[in-house]
Amino acid sequence: MTPEMNTAVKSGRAQQEKTSSDVILEVKDLKKHFPIKTGILQRTTGVIKAVDGAHFSVKRGETIGIVGESGCGKSTTGRTIIRLYEPTEGKIIYKGNDISHLKEKEMRSSIRRDIQMIFQDPFASLNPRKTLGSILYEPFKVHNLHSEKERQEKIESLLEIVGLDGSFKSRYPHEFSGGQRQRIGIARALTTQPELIIADEPVSALDVSIQAQIINLMEDLQEEFGLTYVFISHDLSVVRHIADTVGVMYLGNMMELAPKEDLYREPLHPYTRALLSAVPVPRQKGVKTREKVVLKGDLPSPSNPPSGCVFHTRCPEAMEECKKVVPAFEEKKSGHYVACHLYK
Amino acid sequence: MQQEPVNMPSSTPPEPGPNDPKLKKKPDTLTKIILTKFFRNKLAVAGGIVLFIIVTMAIFAPLIAPQNPGDVEMDLLNRLAPPSTEFIMGTDDFGRDIFSRVLYGAQVSLLVGFLAMLGGAIIGTVMGSLAGYFGGRVDALIMRLVDILISFPNIFLLILLIAFFSPSVGLLIVFLASLGWMSTARLVRGEFLSLRQREYVLAAKTLGMKTNRIIFQHILPNALGPIIVASTLSVGNLIIVESVLSFLGLGVQPPTPSWGNMLQSAQNYTIMRDAWWYPVFPGLMIFITVLSINFVGDGLRDAFDPKMR
Ligand SMILES: Nc1ncnc2c1ncn2[C@@H]1O[C@H](COP(=O)(O)OP(=O)(O)OP(=O)(O)O)[C@@H](O)[C@H]1O
Ligand SMILES: [Mg+2]
């Protein structure tokens, strides 16, 4: 990374207030294919197209929800954006800079402070051998932040910010419940004062009653620190609660992307309609009760996706064209994108 | 943000919070939990105590043993004397005190077993870490080497190697270590493969931590349990291999006593018939030591197993 870009990223932090309607993250035609390696020589004999065309953008301080069935590539999308994986194709543009192929060293000097992640499994996301104090201390040390005394104060205040007691810093993760551990994971994500947080199913492993508390905490933190979220979930009602924009993925492809209200009121893609029809939604005026759409067949394998539109094998409205031509991901109404031949 | 009606419970029962009594007691470290579990296992504790006694006696052999095996070459008056108050384990065909030789033999046998284990554990951990962390070609290469080495019968390879060099304690340790790392390598590789994808390791990376720090702070400490267990159990096996080699005349060479070469000198028919104490005591020591090590190893395995809380 060039020095200019470094300063661009840094000054962005300061300008946060002024440019609050800016697009902070843009993902363009992102692809991540995992090679399938076999044999003694580890030759590549095929690929798993875990993500095969993800597009969206998020404005500062907003939340994009990414939904889809298990295995559709949500986690891979999140992990590629934060560059745990090297993207196969496409662009990840963070604050105007393309970070899709930055080396790990360049990532560390610029982006690693700005983007953080909250994980799904509260039992696997904290090192069982470290106290909360040292879990939260580590990022300060890595990035050389604050003085020693400030670090200790910050650790306590971070624990308090996420609703835990500052004195917990000498305790170990195994002493806490799932919800409390998730709070610790959130505190860790906040240590570097990030601007963008990728939350990969942050409440899926929790009891329903505790899910609401964590969601509320995340909303409070978003307001307090001006955070931007990429919120990954398979639960449409959770996404409906927290997101401003929602993207629907199927087999690695982004099928539909729209402001939340539009998507839930008037889903365009047959897949989105099928997903929504499976969710019990409280009655609302002006909204038709949806007929339940049951998808036929099984989810195809991402190592051998169907031709044309990847959804055609299960689509209730599939046409001849769908088997051959890949539908373009296009804006059909203002801000409402869909990849489907039904809309021309 | 505009709130919409959603089917999420609005009033929720409180989570176990900061005042949860469970959290008021003193914090237990993971190590403490593991030790507590270990000490609840009676066989393991007994094994540990026996082992402790044997090791202590071996270390303090010069203070405890009535004879120094280096000093006494031969004492024809006391050849093959049965156990008595003077020679509590009797004497051998040179008239030397067997108890003293068993103590000094313990030094050699335990040293060989322990150092060979340590060497094997280090080589295995390094190889397994390399394979597991880098994956791909490096992994394939190391694992094929492991497959090849594992499919040779170890004892023949050792005999072959030693036949080419003149046997010595140091060389024995080196050979045993260089042929004893493969199972540790497999184990460590497996641990790395799974820990590498563990979310706290991913978190360390997104927080900007460097690879070597991630390995030493987050991966290795969590792979240590299985390594310790496997290494402990391997010491017993190594002591047996050392005894077998010494018994065959390929291990520790007389006059340096080891349990194995004492058994070798005792294999003569007349000695077996007339002086039962000569083979029995070194044999018993091997048996008791290996058994104790295995009890400790099993105890450690259960203590480290998260499923057996
Ligand atoms: N590291 C990897 N190597 C190979 N294949 C992978 C890897 N990670 C994910 N995949 C495959 O890519 C596809 C998408 O996986 P991903 O975890 O992104 O889905 P997901 O939408 O997050 O699903 P879930 O709801 O189960 O978390 C799956 O078929 C998965 O098996
Ligand atoms: Mg996932």
Side-chain angles (χ1 to χ4, degrees):
Chain A
M1 175 185 291
T2 57
E4 299 90 83
M5 184 177 156
N6 240 325
T7 45
V9 171
K10 295 248 170 62
S11 65
R13 199 188 293 276
Q15 285 172 9
Q16 192 167 323
E17 296 308 317
K18 280 179 245 164
T19 55
S20 64
S21 66
D22 274 2
V23 168
I24 187 168
L25 174 74
E26 199 177 351
V27 173
K28 285 186 185 164
D29 202 24
L30 187 70
K31 296 187 182 179
K32 177 63 196 174
H33 297 173
F34 292 106
I36 306 170
K37 295 198 166 156
T38 45
I40 294 178
L41 296 174
Q42 293 288 293
R43 281 229 304 269
T44 304
T45 52
V47 289
I48 298 168
K49 297 181 175 174
V51 179
D52 204 30
H55 329 256
F56 62 86
S57 60
V58 214
K59 286 182 189 153
R60 190 189 297 283
E62 297 202 337
T63 300
I64 171 135
I66 297 183
V67 295
E69 288 167 285
S70 179
C72 70
K74 306 181 297 290
S75 296
T76 307
T77 304
R79 290 178 179 192
T80 311
I81 293 170
I82 201 167
R83 289 295 317 279
L84 284 168
Y85 301 143
E86 173 100 29
T88 308
E89 253 180 61
K91 283 196 162 65
I92 305 157
I93 295 167
Y94 177 70
K95 289 187 182 168
N97 300 304
D98 185 357
I99 63 165
S100 41
H101 294 287
L102 286 187
K103 302 236 159 52
E104 188 55 34
K105 214 174 154 195
E106 298 164 326
M107 286 295 290
R108 274 200 289 267
S109 64
S110 55
I111 310 298
R112 287 284 177 236
R113 270 187 67 187
D114 273 39
I115 312 180
Q116 287 308 337
M117 192 150 188
I118 300 173
F119 295 90
Q120 173 173 5
D121 181 352
F123 289 87
S125 61
L126 304 172
N127 187 338
R129 302 202 164 263
K130 299 208 176 276
T131 60
L132 307 201
S134 63
I135 288 171
L136 299 179
Y137 183 87
E138 222 163 19
F140 295 149
K141 197 168 166 198
V142 168
H143 294 284
N144 218 350
L145 305 172
H146 319 301
S147 72
E148 188 58 38
K149 187 163 159 284
E150 282 170 349
R151 286 178 183 178
Q152 296 305 329
E153 288 165 6
K154 291 260 180 199
I155 289 170
E156 284 180 28
S157 75
L158 274 169
L159 286 173
E160 277 154 22
I161 284 170
V162 298
L164 296 170
D165 197 298
S167 67
F168 286 1
K169 64 181 181 179
S170 60
R171 298 181 185 278
Y172 286 84
H174 68 82
E175 298 175 66
F176 296 89
S177 67
Q180 289 173 318
R181 284 164 177 244
Q182 206 57 308
R183 289 171 191 267
I184 300 162
I186 293 172
R188 175 179 59 195
L190 294 176
T191 47
T192 59
Q193 293 171 278
E195 301 198 34
L196 175 66
I197 290 186
I198 297 177
D200 187 359
E201 312 233 18
V203 297
S204 309
L206 306 176
D207 289 350
V208 178
S209 59
I210 292 165
Q211 288 190 358
Q213 298 179 4
I214 298 294
I215 295 286
N216 290 339
L217 172 67
M218 286 184 65
E219 285 179 332
D220 293 347
L221 294 172
Q222 179 164 44
E223 201 156 304
E224 192 173 344
F225 298 110
L227 299 170
T228 309
Y229 289 142
V230 174
F231 192 99
I232 296 168
S233 179
H234 62 262
D235 186 336
L236 282 142
S237 49
V238 170
V239 167
R240 173 171 213 168
H241 184 80
I242 197 167
D244 300 295
T245 312
V246 179
V248 180
M249 287 184 76
Y250 180 80
L251 218 62
N253 289 258
M254 187 69 82
M255 300 309 238
E256 185 163 5
L257 176 73
K260 173 173 67 179
E261 292 78 19
D262 291 359
L263 189 97
Y264 283 80
R265 192 177 350 97
E266 198 187 347
L268 294 179
H269 202 287
Y271 178 61
T272 315
R273 280 189 236 143
L275 275 185
L276 283 175
S277 78
V279 186
V281 181
R283 276 182 172 280
Q284 267 177 280
K285 42 182 181 317
V287 178
K288 289 176 285 184
T289 341
R290 293 185 187 104
E291 253 179 75
K292 192 157 170 62
V293 188
V294 180
L295 292 179
K296 57 187 180 191
D298 290 329
L299 192 67
S301 159
S303 59
N304 184 21
S307 61
C309 171
V310 284
F311 186 56
H312 85 253
T313 55
R314 299 172 77 196
C315 184
E317 300 177 52
M319 305 172 290
E320 216 27 60
E321 185 185 11
C322 302
K323 294 177 188 165
K324 293 172 197 135
V325 187
V326 181
F329 187 76
E330 285 170 349
E331 189 167 15
K332 299 300 165 188
K333 290 188 219 156
S334 132
H336 196 145
Y337 295 79
V338 67
C340 181
H341 291 305
L342 288 175
Y343 307 95
K344 285 262 160 75
Chain B
M1 187 184 303
Q2 181 200 345
Q3 295 291 320
E4 291 200 17
V6 285
N7 55 341
M8 263 211 301
S10 47
S11 71
T12 54
E15 250 183 294
N19 295 321
D20 187 356
K22 180 182 162 252
L23 292 169
K24 280 297 172 193
K25 68 175 189 339
K26 278 191 81 174
D28 280 348
T29 65
L30 206 61
T31 321
K32 197 171 155 210
I33 293 174
I34 289 167
L35 284 180
T36 315
K37 256 176 23 177
F38 179 82
F39 281 114
R40 250 187 270 135
N41 183 337
K42 293 204 177 62
L43 269 185
V45 173
I49 292 171
V50 171
L51 215 55
F52 177 77
I53 294 171
I54 294 174
V55 171
T56 315
M57 287 180 71
I59 292 171
F60 294 106
L63 301 179
I64 301 167
Q67 284 181 0
N68 183 342
D71 298 344
V72 183
E73 296 269 286
M74 205 174 281
D75 180 359
L76 289 178
L77 287 179
N78 286 314
R79 278 190 76 210
L80 294 175
S84 64
T85 43
E86 193 188 350
F87 307 109
I88 57 171
M89 290 183 182
T91 62
D92 65 7
D93 45 352
F94 289 96
R96 298 174 297 196
D97 179 34
I98 290 180
F99 177 57
S100 303
R101 290 182 63 76
V102 161
L103 285 184
Y104 279 88
Q107 285 187 341
V108 178
S109 294
L110 291 174
L111 194 75
V112 170
F114 184 76
L115 286 183
M117 172 277 277
L118 209 64
I122 291 171
I123 302 174
T125 304
V126 171
M127 295 298 241
S129 307
L130 289 176
Y133 197 86
F134 292 106
R137 293 267 162 90
V138 182
D139 180 29
L141 204 76
I142 293 176
M143 284 304 116
R144 291 306 81 75
L145 180 67
V146 166
D147 289 342
I148 292 168
L149 284 178
I150 265 180
S151 44
F152 275 115
N154 249 341
I155 197 91
F156 291 119
L157 246 160
L158 278 167
I159 290 172
L160 226 101
L161 274 172
I162 290 163
F164 278 105
F165 302 88
S166 58
S168 76
V169 174
L171 211 59
L172 192 66
I173 293 172
V174 172
F175 288 158
L176 284 174
S178 45
L179 288 176
W181 57 271
M182 289 85 72
S183 52
T184 312
R186 273 195 177 156
L187 190 93
V188 173
R189 169 182 180 264
E191 290 290 314
F192 261 71
L193 287 182
S194 83
L195 289 171
R196 195 173 63 163
Q197 293 296 327
R198 202 63 62 83
E199 292 181 346
Y200 60 79
V201 173
L202 299 179
K205 192 170 175 198
T206 65
L207 286 163
M209 215 181 271
K210 293 192 178 132
T211 304
N212 58 357
R213 220 178 130 74
I214 294 178
I215 291 180
F216 286 107
Q217 290 280 317
H218 293 287
I219 300 186
L220 270 181
N222 285 293
L224 216 54
I227 299 175
I228 291 174
V229 172
S231 302
T232 308
L233 288 169
S234 79
V235 176
N237 189 34
L238 285 162
I239 288 178
I240 294 200
V241 173
E242 181 274 321
S243 307
V244 170
L245 286 171
S246 300
F247 182 78
L248 295 173
L250 292 164
V252 180
Q253 298 299 302
T256 310
S258 88
W259 294 339
N261 69 23
M262 288 174 78
L263 278 180
Q264 187 208 15
S265 342
Q267 66 179 316
N268 175 312
Y269 171 70
T270 44
I271 292 179
M272 296 274 255
R273 192 190 50 195
D274 300 331
W276 57 267
W277 55 88
Y278 192 3
V280 160
F281 287 112
L284 207 60
M285 286 308 288
I286 296 176
F287 175 72
I288 293 173
T289 308
V290 173
L291 196 66
S292 308
I293 289 172
N294 287 342
F295 283 159
V296 171
D298 282 340
L300 284 175
R301 185 175 50 211
D302 292 348
F304 276 112
D305 187 352
K307 288 188 285 295
M308 295 190 57
R309 283 279 140 90

